[in-house]
Amino acid sequence: MVGRTVQLVQLRTAFDTAVDGAPATVLLGGEAGVGKTRLVTEFAADAVARGARVVVGQCVDVAGDGLSYAPVAGALRDLAAQLGAARLMEVAGPGRSALAGLLPELGVEPNDVAAGQGRLFETVTGLLEQAATDQPLVVIIEDLHWADRSTRQLLQFVVRALNSARVLLVGTYRTDEMVRTHPLRTLLAELERIRTVRRVEVPRLTEEEVGEQLAGLIGETPDRGIVRRVHARSEGVPFLVEQLAGLDAGADLPESLRDLLLVRVERLSPDAQQLVRLLAVGRTRVGHDLLAAVADRDADTLDASLREAVSANLLRVDGDGYAFRHALVREVVHDDLLPGEHARLHSRYAATLEERAASGDPAGRGVMAEVAHHWSCAHEQEKSFVASLRAATEARATAAHAETQHNLERALELWDRIRDPEQQAGVDHVELLARAGSAANNAGEMERALALVDAAVEEAQATPSVGAQRLARLLAFQGNLLGELGRPGAGELIRRGLDLLPAEPPTPMRARLMQKLGARMMMEGRLEEAVEVSQQARALAQATGEAEAEFRSHVILGPSQVQLGQVDDGLATLRTAGELAAGRPEWLVNYHINLSDALHLLGRYSEAVDVARSGIDHTRRIGLVRTLGAMLTGNTIEPLLALGDWDTAGRLIARGIELDPPGRHGWQILRLQAWLALWRGDVAAATRTADEIRHRETGRHPGPQYVLALAQTWSEVAIVRGEPDRAWAEIIAAVDASPRPQPGYDLPLLATAAWALELRGGLGDNGAVDDAARADAAGLRARLDAIGDWGPAALWRGLADAHLAGLDGPAPDAWTRVLDEVDAAGGPAHLRPYAGYRLAQAQVTLGDREAAAATLRQAADDADRLGAGLVSGWIADLGRRARLGSPATAGPDRDGPLSALTDREREVLRLVAAGRSNRQIGAELFISAKTASVHVSNILAKLGVSGRGEAAAVAHRAGLVDAG
């Protein structure tokens, strides 16, 4: 080990972090040959010596297409070898059946494969956590630049999802492979945002370090001229230094790297050279049994050739197989094959692997992607076509959706080049397009999925043999994709599909499409249609025995009824859905999602939290707490914010963002993050997050429930930034775009609209409110009146009335009523200090200073207890401007030097006196470092001191900090 001290220390530091119970990830980058493998090997030995368990997985390159989950399977096999298969299954938990396709040799029976990738990801993550309970676990994944898409997705999930586990993940990759379009670039950028991830670059060696390496290789100090020459030719790449050091003294150095790397190969005997070429056709590592079968030579000759290649430092023994000491050598040897030799050797691998797969040997499972690749390289298109289809089946069984898609698309490319493809595939071209589209959708490639399904629909419409039922199913799929992508026309496509199906006799397919149409109508805010269609779907499902469509019809019908004011009926419908889902954990999760959302909108916050948390418990029992559970996280956060448990909500927001939930669920978490940052007083952070959501949402049409909620957050940010006109325009655009009132989302938004209207003022030249403002206020009141007494309407109408009353001057009675309504409703918690502040403001304007001072003290206490820094700042400003004195409530040393500080500021000052940094204060109080900085600045100003040291001294003198 030369020149790698810094990198080794960084790895050991990350390991120490993991040992302390905080999972860590190190991404080790460097160009080919720079010594990444050597570095992690050294580190792994050190970690084992310090009591860790180390497992290694190797990404495999197959002509640019990595094998599905190859490094994951390799690491888990390594773990099974250390733990024992029985113990591995035990720690895998309830999702162990998801490992059936990944580790078939364990003999696990697959169960509910349709649960798919989420279950597999949850299982692997939980397995790593549990395996690290008795000793720290280090997972090393080599050559991430060759990782397949599913492996990349799994790695991203595991990094985000690991929590309080003694696990260190180490991934290596080639920086020289990172072209602009390389898929790993996106993953690295995403992972770098996660607090537990560190990127470490492995640089080239300096000339002095090359001299050290040469000395270690040749056993003596080399001549300075040789060091300079080798450094110049190798450019400090340790692997090339090693290759150059191994050449005979005085030998002419080849001018190209290709020739340089082939020199040692050409020195081998003909038999050994042929074996090396054969290994190069395989992959980075080839098992001994497979090599022996492909080589077709007697054992003694094979062993002799292998020993010669290993002795020449071209190959290394790797478990029960062999690997090139460096992938560069393999690449050069493979590229040097003659055309006929290339095809012949690939054919040999393909045939051998195919025989293994047909024999039922466990070693032959999961090899069809390689078979398809080898047949393709051998220009055997028909064989590659069949193998691609079988590879897609294998990938689907392991929830490797991206690889399923890839193999199906390769088969589609070959369709017109082979004889009778339909007979060989067992399906027609339309069905193959549809299956590829489904795989792309499951892989998260929704744009590609839509393109494939568009092609399938177009071809189906032009093909008489495609029946109406198949075309209807394709149209519904096409509509769902449009809806998920936020594009118009989704409902029309599903209706077209329904028109193709006869109404009599009832069929399960018609029930399923009708249910999908009801869901689409609800998402588009067409609630009356959603109710009507869902009721029809329910009846059809009951008549045809389509259990899932019946359940999902109830799940859509219930929330639609609630929003239409049929609250009792809607909640009863949802509870019926819960009964239908009994024994179906994944159905129950959907039930809990919709029920908790409905309860929150109705202002039944505690019930909403309980239902959402119960749903998360269900996801935990089925091993999907980090996937489906992430969707319920937002439904837990929002009522917690309303109840005033902002610390818990803040932790859940941070955790939810780390899990990176998909699409609209991600927007929901970010929206709540922006809202909480705003009301805690970090307006800059709220603005950044709001802008990020807007960027993600641009060009999309996610439906009223998302548009209205997002508009509320954006408008509140705009109001606080002093942009009420922008807030007003934002709200009116969102409300006008909604096809009909959505009470649960309209009520808080219309109250915010009244706030914006109040701040706009609308005063004419004569000092009176102008007609336009009066008309806007009347329009708001009419919208609120149309909602009636739905759920928490009294609270939000009261808040809106208080704002609108402000157009004519101070309205203390209106703000008193708001306080009463907030107390009666049990939230939202932030409205109590805000309404108190507005009441005090009105009292000051009317000259009732004594009442204002008392009101302001209570509001300050409420804001401080909640952590509502935004309102605390307004309260402090009003107290200074009105000369009401400190708004802090009475208590110990309230009349001393700390009398101007709120309770939250006292907490911050106590930590300042303890020597904490802003970042540490933020972590301890669950606020951002920026918010902590704002508190510190306010404290210094209030105490009249110049720095943190003086503030700490004041705290000690005032007895805020124990003398000890």
Side-chain angles (χ1 to χ4, degrees), residues 506-527:
T507 61
M509 175 64 75
R510 188 171 179 83
R512 288 194 291 272
L513 262 64
M514 191 71 75
Q515 178 269 313
K516 292 179 185 298
L517 180 61
R520 181 48 45 198
M521 293 300 98
M522 184 185 77
M523 292 301 299
E524 293 179 2
R526 304 181 184 279
L527 300 175

Side-chain angles (χ1 to χ4, degrees), residues 426-720:
V427 296
D428 60 17
H429 193 254
V430 171
E431 182 61 23
L432 197 59
L433 281 167
R435 291 183 183 183
S438 177
N441 181 39
N442 290 333
E445 297 286 348
M446 298 183 66
E447 295 283 359
R448 182 58 180 166
L450 182 60
L452 288 162
V453 175
D454 285 348
V457 169
E458 183 178 357
E459 186 174 333
Q461 290 172 330
T463 306
S465 60
V466 175
Q469 184 160 309
R470 286 180 63 198
L471 179 55
R473 175 170 56 86
L474 286 171
L475 288 169
F477 188 11
Q478 191 179 32
N480 280 341
L481 289 170
L482 283 176
E484 288 299 319
L485 287 167
R487 296 182 184 175
E492 288 79 357
L493 283 170
I494 300 174
R495 288 187 189 277
R496 282 179 54 196
L498 278 166
D499 290 342
L500 293 172
L501 301 175
E504 295 294 338
T507 61
M509 175 64 75
R510 188 171 179 83
R512 288 194 291 272
L513 262 64
M514 191 71 75
Q515 178 269 313
K516 292 179 185 298
L517 180 61
R520 181 48 45 198
M521 293 300 98
M522 184 185 77
M523 292 301 299
E524 293 179 2
R526 304 181 184 279
L527 300 175
E528 290 91 346
E529 293 173 81
V531 167
E532 179 183 355
V533 171
S534 294
Q535 287 172 335
Q536 294 176 27
R538 178 177 62 182
L540 274 172
Q542 290 169 343
T544 59
E546 179 58 40
E548 184 170 359
E550 181 184 1
F551 160 73
R552 297 196 181 282
S553 296
H554 281 85
V555 166
I556 299 303
L557 176 59
S560 301
Q561 290 173 317
V562 167
Q563 287 277 43
L564 286 171
Q566 305 160 23
V567 175
D568 291 340
D569 289 344
L571 293 178
T573 301
L574 278 168
R575 291 196 166 88
T576 299
E579 294 168 5
L580 292 171
R584 305 266 194 162
E586 289 175 42
W587 293 9
L588 279 169
V589 170
N590 292 115
Y591 155 72
H592 282 278
I593 289 173
N594 282 15
L595 178 58
S596 60
D597 182 57
L599 290 169
H600 167 72
L601 295 176
L602 289 167
R604 295 161 64 166
Y605 305 123
S606 295
E607 291 178 73
V609 170
D610 290 343
V611 170
R613 283 177 166 164
S614 179
I616 292 173
D617 289 341
H618 281 296
T619 66
R620 187 174 290 111
R621 281 193 286 273
I622 60 176
L624 292 173
V625 67
R626 297 175 178 90
T627 46
L628 287 176
M631 300 178 189
L632 279 158
T633 298
N635 288 21
T636 309
I637 294 168
E638 205 152 8
L640 281 174
L641 291 174
L643 290 168
D645 191 353
W646 285 12
D647 288 343
T648 301
R651 289 193 292 271
L652 286 174
I653 287 171
R655 185 67 179 143
I657 289 172
E658 285 183 348
L659 291 173
D660 192 25
R664 294 181 296 241
H665 302 291
W667 300 350
Q668 181 190 18
I669 299 291
L670 286 173
R671 176 180 70 80
L672 296 174
Q673 181 188 46
W675 188 93
L676 183 56
L678 178 70
W679 285 92
R680 278 181 162 170
D682 195 343
V683 182
T687 302
R688 285 194 303 272
T689 306
D691 288 344
E692 180 182 350
I693 303 169
R694 187 179 294 280
H695 174 73
R696 292 192 185 194
E697 192 254 0
T698 299
R700 307 289 186 184
H701 303 276
Q705 63 179 277
Y706 292 96
V707 171
L708 295 170
L710 290 171
Q712 183 189 352
T713 300
W714 286 329
S715 58
E716 288 190 7
V717 171
I719 286 171
V720 172

Side-chain angles (χ1 to χ4, degrees), residues 1 8 11-12 15 36-56 82 135 138-140 168 170:
M1 284 286 291
L8 196 55
L11 284 168
R12 287 170 175 164
F15 176 73
K36 301 181 295 297
T37 298
R38 178 73 180 86
L39 174 61
V40 295
T41 301
E42 180 78 11
F43 164 70
D46 181 61
V48 169
R50 296 173 64 189
R53 176 181 287 116
V54 178
V55 297
V56 181
Q82 297 184 43
Q135 64 185 113
V138 178
V139 182
I140 298 172
L168 171 63
V170 180

Side-chain angles (χ1 to χ4, degrees), residues 865-951:
R865 189 180 305 108
L866 186 60
L870 180 67
V871 185
S872 293
W874 292 338
I875 290 170
D877 181 63
L878 177 61
R880 284 192 298 270
R881 288 187 292 107
R883 298 183 179 181
L884 295 176
S886 168
T889 54
D893 57 56
R894 291 294 186 186
D895 297 325
L898 308 184
S899 61
L901 303 187
T902 66
D903 286 346
R904 172 64 84 175
E905 288 168 346
R906 289 165 180 266
E907 290 180 7
V908 173
L909 178 57
R910 187 179 292 108
L911 294 173
V912 168
R916 304 286 200 277
S917 67
N918 289 344
R919 183 178 298 278
Q920 290 169 326
I921 292 170
E924 191 154 339
L925 299 180
F926 303 106
I927 58 178
S928 70
K930 176 74 172 182
T931 301
S933 175
V934 171
H935 281 308
V936 172
S937 297
N938 289 340
I939 290 167
L940 299 182
K942 289 180 179 182
L943 296 181
V945 296
S946 61
R948 299 167 76 99
E950 288 185 45

